[in-house]
């Protein structure tokens, strides 16, 4: 009886070790692992992102082109002008216009299944220790200039739906923002992105 | 009793003598230490200073606009007359906080005005406090790109954006490195793949992505910032890693004691690096705000 108990203990330890190893080695699932319904949701997200990008590109073309060797005044004026025209054009936009509830759910799943064990702890540590607390969860406001940008894990960026170069995923606490890299506007956000 | 009295007296005089000696010698010792650190005779150089060598500075985490940054800027300029460097690599966090035109002047231009006026070019990498729009800033020479490459006499420099390393950037790295025939490949980025910092430590997720690419394509040296101190890492898989992130504020005592990664560290004052490349040798000298040399040495290219 005693030896049976010992056997179970060893078996338990071996299984725990296998599970731990699986967790440690888990990689963020590729988009290929998504169901057809999920793929449709991702396609819809990409369409919404594209619509925003096309709008802001069109608006940027109306502004004087920013030189690649610009003065600080030119950079500031370009940013402000682009902010203003995008805000005017998106006056009627709402939260969840881009990160729909279905898209947000997929993003949560990607993060949850891709970051387990130590990886998740590291991600939470990086995100929660960042000096960017107190960012209002609101769309069409600029990302506060005095708040740092949390570095995004390259592995996570490869797993999330791809964004055009004008847009960025950004963590603000456990929440995820969609930010325009030039005008700094928060285009949309989703809560509790990190489990 | 008399014997005891004599012993007490002797002890008393011994203590008195020792105290007097300490008081006499201490100012001399302090004066000597200060003299060595501040080098009143001017900046001291021990690099080879060979003709036609490639010379540059490495600074990081500079953009505070505080008096410390300005003091270090003056020391950097002092070394220009002797070392004749023509470029400065910035390892990120170039501008903290707001980035208005006034901020750019206060946190960068005014701090390094004499160096800029001497024709030295700054090349920036983006840190976690930097807006992407810095890539358009005339003095950062990024030519509108968040990651870019430039070359000087057979030395290729790669500035990476470790803050947002997406597939686009990884593909760019692979393509550029693959066609690069340069003798030296030098990378500078913000987040350190290896670090003994208490606050941040090694950027594991960045390292897991970039290290295999660096190894595959024979990167020789990597300069990073993020940690507000200087650290020379023991060579990792044949690559030399340096952290030069004490350009604007020091994080005193932040290097972990007895870290297995550390070859040499300096975390008690601001610092910058002087680097000279000549043939297969790269010489470096690390200078503190007090103009003291806190590390120096030479590495030989092996790739």
């Amino acid at each position: 009886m005693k030896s049976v108990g010992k056997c179970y203990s060893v078996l338990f330890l071996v299984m725990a070790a296998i599970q731990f190893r699986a967790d440690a080695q888990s990689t963020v699932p590729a988009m290929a692992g998504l169901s057809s319904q999920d793929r449709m949701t991702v396609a819809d997200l990409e369409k919404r992102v594209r619509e925003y990008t096309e709008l802001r590109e069109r608006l940027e073309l109306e502004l004087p082109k920013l030189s690649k060797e610009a003065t600080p005044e030119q950079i500031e004026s370009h940013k402000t002008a682009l902010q203003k025209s995008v805000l005017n054009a998106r006056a009627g936009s709402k939260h969840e216009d881009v990160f729909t509830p279905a898209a947000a759910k997929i993003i949560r799943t990607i993060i949850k299944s891709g970051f387990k064990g130590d990886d998740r702890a590291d991600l939470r540590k990086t995100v929660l220790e960042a000096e960017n607390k107190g960012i209002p969860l609101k769309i069409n406001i600029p990302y506060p200039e005095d708040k740092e940008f949390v570095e995004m894990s390259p592995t996570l960026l490869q797993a999330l739906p791809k964004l055009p170069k004008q847009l960025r995923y950004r963590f603000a606490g456990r929440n995820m923002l969609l930010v325009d890299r030039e005008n700094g506007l928060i285009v949309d956000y989703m809560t509790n992105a990190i489990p | 009793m008399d014997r005891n009295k004599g012993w007490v007296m002797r002890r008393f005089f011994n203590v008195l003598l020792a105290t007097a000696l300490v008081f006499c010698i201490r100012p001399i010792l302090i004066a000597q230490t200060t003299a060595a650190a501040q080098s009143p005779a001017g900046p001291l150089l021990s690099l080879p200073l060979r003709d036609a060598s490639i010379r540059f500075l490495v600074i990081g985490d500079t953009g505070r606009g505080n008096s410390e940054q300005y003091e270090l800027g003056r020391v950097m300029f002092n070394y220009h007359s002797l070392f004749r460097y023509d470029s400065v690599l910035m390892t990120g966090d170039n501008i903290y906080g707001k980035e208005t035109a006034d901020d750019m002047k206060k946190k960068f231009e005014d701090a390094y005005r004499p160096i800029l006026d001497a024709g030295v070019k700054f090349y920036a990498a983006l840190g976690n406090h930097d807006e992407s729009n810095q890539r358009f800033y005339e003095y950062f020479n990024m030519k509108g790109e968040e990651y870019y490459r430039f070359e000087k006499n057979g030395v290729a420099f790669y500035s990476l954006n470790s803050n947002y390393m997406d597939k686009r950037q990884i593909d760019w790295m692979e393509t550029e490195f693959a066609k690069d025939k340069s003798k030296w490949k030098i990378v500078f980025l913000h987040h350190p793949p290896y670090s003994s910092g208490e606050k941040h430590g090694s950027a594991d997720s960045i390292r897991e992505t970039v290290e295999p690419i660096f190894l595959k394509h024979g990167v020789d040296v990597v300069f990073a910032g993020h940690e507000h101190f200087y650290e020379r890492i023991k060579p990792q898989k044949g690559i030399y890693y340096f952290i030069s992130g004490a350009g604007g504020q020091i994080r005193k005592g932040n290097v972990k004691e007895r870290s297995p990664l550390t070859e040499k560290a300096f975390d008690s004052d601001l610092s910058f690096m002087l680097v000279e490349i000549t043939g297969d040798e790269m010489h470096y000298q690390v200078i503190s705000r007090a103009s003291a040399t806190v590390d120096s040495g030479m590495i030989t290219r092996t790739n």
Side-chain angles (χ1 to χ4, degrees):
Chain A
M1 194 66 189
K2 208 173 172 183
S3 64
V4 172
K6 205 173 173 181
C7 259
Y8 274 120
S9 302
V10 171
L11 194 63
F12 173 78
L13 283 172
V14 168
M15 286 181 72
I18 289 168
Q19 180 58 38
F20 177 77
R21 195 169 158 75
D23 280 356
Q25 288 187 337
S26 69
T27 51
V28 178
M31 299 296 286
L34 298 177
S35 69
S36 59
Q37 181 62 43
D38 288 346
R39 281 167 174 273
M40 280 168 66
T41 305
V42 170
D44 180 58
L45 171 68
E46 286 169 348
K47 183 177 134 286
R48 288 162 188 266
V49 162
R50 207 163 42 243
E51 281 168 3
Y52 170 81
T53 314
E54 284 167 4
L55 169 73
R56 59 89 72 206
E57 287 295 283
R58 204 168 58 242
L59 294 169
E60 191 169 20
L61 282 175
E62 292 168 10
L63 302 173
K65 193 169 165 48
L66 187 58
S67 157
K68 289 178 179 177
E69 294 181 334
T71 63
E73 288 81 5
Q74 288 168 332
I75 295 169
E76 193 179 353
S77 136
H78 184 86
K79 181 183 173 182
T80 313
L82 186 58
Q83 263 181 12
K84 206 171 160 185
S85 52
V86 170
L87 285 176
N88 281 339
R90 295 191 80 226
S93 57
K94 303 182 304 292
H95 167 47
E96 295 181 339
D97 272 356
V98 183
F99 282 152
T100 60
K105 192 177 164 194
I106 288 178
I107 289 172
R108 282 188 201 103
T109 307
I110 289 173
I111 297 174
K112 191 176 176 183
S113 56
F115 287 82
K116 293 175 178 171
D118 288 349
D119 288 344
R120 188 183 296 178
D122 286 347
L123 181 66
R124 287 177 69 108
K125 183 174 178 282
T126 305
V127 167
L128 299 178
E129 283 183 358
E131 295 163 19
N132 71 347
K133 292 177 182 60
I135 296 175
L137 282 181
K138 242 175 128 177
I139 66 159
N140 293 340
I141 59 162
Y143 186 97
E145 282 188 345
D146 56 346
K147 304 287 184 189
E148 74 162 300
F149 301 108
V150 182
E151 73 264 27
M152 294 295 294
S153 152
T155 320
L156 178 58
L157 284 178
Q158 298 224 45
L160 290 170
K162 300 287 171 291
L163 292 178
K165 61 184 179 185
Q166 296 87 346
L167 286 172
R168 295 283 148 95
Y169 292 110
R170 290 289 181 201
F171 282 117
R174 292 175 59 209
N175 311 306
M176 171 93 84
L177 312 177
L178 188 63
V179 180
D180 187 311
R181 72 169 178 167
E182 265 105 33
N183 61 38
L185 290 173
I186 299 174
V187 177
D188 207 349
Y189 66 88
M190 56 173 282
T191 55
N192 299 323
I194 300 178
Chain B
M1 192 67 185
D2 279 351
R3 245 179 85 188
N4 273 350
K5 199 176 170 186
W7 181 84
V8 168
M9 287 302 280
R10 272 201 304 278
R11 287 287 291 186
F12 175 75
F13 279 115
N14 281 345
V15 170
L16 198 67
L17 188 67
T19 310
L21 273 171
V22 165
F23 272 94
C24 290
I25 290 169
R26 193 169 167 270
I28 297 166
L29 284 176
I30 288 171
Q32 281 179 347
T33 310
T34 311
Q38 291 181 341
S39 312
L44 296 172
L45 276 180
S46 57
L47 299 167
L49 299 171
R50 291 195 189 127
D51 289 341
S53 59
I54 293 153
R55 301 175 189 186
F56 58 94
L57 261 54
V58 187
I59 54 171
D61 303 72
T62 48
R64 300 263 173 194
N66 57 11
S67 58
E68 292 96 320
Q69 182 192 359
Y70 278 64
E71 282 170 34
L72 194 72
R74 282 191 285 275
V75 179
M76 286 162 60
F77 179 63
N78 288 343
Y79 274 86
H80 185 258
S81 56
L82 291 174
F83 186 54
R84 289 287 164 203
Y85 55 89
D86 66 3
S87 39
V88 178
L89 309 186
M90 301 175 76
T91 60
D93 282 358
N94 314 308
I95 307 288
Y96 285 89
K98 290 188 183 299
E99 298 191 8
T100 64
D102 285 346
D103 287 301
M104 300 300 273
K105 285 186 170 60
K106 185 184 168 199
K107 298 170 188 173
F108 177 73
E109 288 176 35
D110 292 348
Y112 308 116
R113 176 50 61 199
I115 302 172
L116 289 165
D117 288 346
V120 173
K121 289 179 89 170
F122 286 70
Y123 295 90
L126 295 177
N128 51 311
H129 287 273
D130 298 319
E131 278 193 31
S132 173
N133 283 332
Q134 286 183 20
R135 71 189 194 277
F136 296 110
Y137 182 37
E138 54 184 336
Y139 288 126
F140 285 172
N141 291 293
M142 300 173 78
K143 304 277 187 261
E145 305 294 341
E146 290 188 349
Y147 41 91
Y148 59 99
R149 174 191 183 277
F150 65 98
E151 198 176 321
K152 281 178 190 288
N153 300 335
V155 179
F157 295 90
Y158 288 82
S159 171
L160 303 182
N161 178 11
S162 56
N163 212 34
Y164 206 86
M165 201 160 275
D166 57 4
K167 188 171 183 310
R168 211 173 282 117
Q169 185 176 184
I170 294 165
D171 290 347
W172 173 86
M173 247 192 289
E174 286 277 14
T175 310
E176 290 296 317
F177 280 135
K179 63 184 183 195
D180 198 334
K181 301 280 181 258
S182 306
K183 206 170 176 186
W184 285 85
K185 293 188 190 78
I186 293 177
V187 167
F188 60 111
L189 78 177
H190 188 60
H191 297 89
Y194 292 95
S195 161
S196 303
E198 286 277 5
K199 183 168 169 69
H200 298 299
S202 305
D204 296 338
S205 66
I206 298 294
R207 188 181 66 238
E208 282 161 18
T209 301
V210 297
E211 190 175 54
I213 302 174
F214 292 173
L215 290 168
K216 181 177 162 192
H217 297 288
V219 167
D220 303 284
V221 182
V222 177
F223 296 107
H226 201 40
E227 304 280 16
H228 297 176
F229 52 67
Y230 164 77
E231 185 177 15
R232 174 159 54 90
I233 303 286
K234 285 177 185 161
Q236 300 291 320
K237 300 171 192 165
I239 300 177
Y240 294 88
Y241 291 86
F242 293 86
I243 295 174
S244 181
Q249 197 176 58
I250 191 71
R251 204 168 274 139
K252 278 190 182 172
N254 198 245
V255 178
K256 282 179 200 157
E257 280 181 36
R258 292 184 292 279
S259 162
L261 292 172
T262 309
E263 191 95 279
K264 175 82 180 180
F266 178 67
D267 61 359
S268 54
D269 198 2
L270 302 192
S271 63
F272 62 93
M273 293 182 74
L274 305 169
V275 183
E276 180 177 7
I277 295 178
T278 173
D280 287 337
E281 296 174 356
M282 187 189 100
H283 300 258
Y284 56 88
Q285 190 172 345
V286 183
I287 309 294
S288 76
R289 184 164 46 143
S291 290
T293 295
V294 295
D295 189 22
S296 63
M298 188 267 283
I299 59 179
T300 308
R301 199 177 66 86
T302 51
N303 286 312

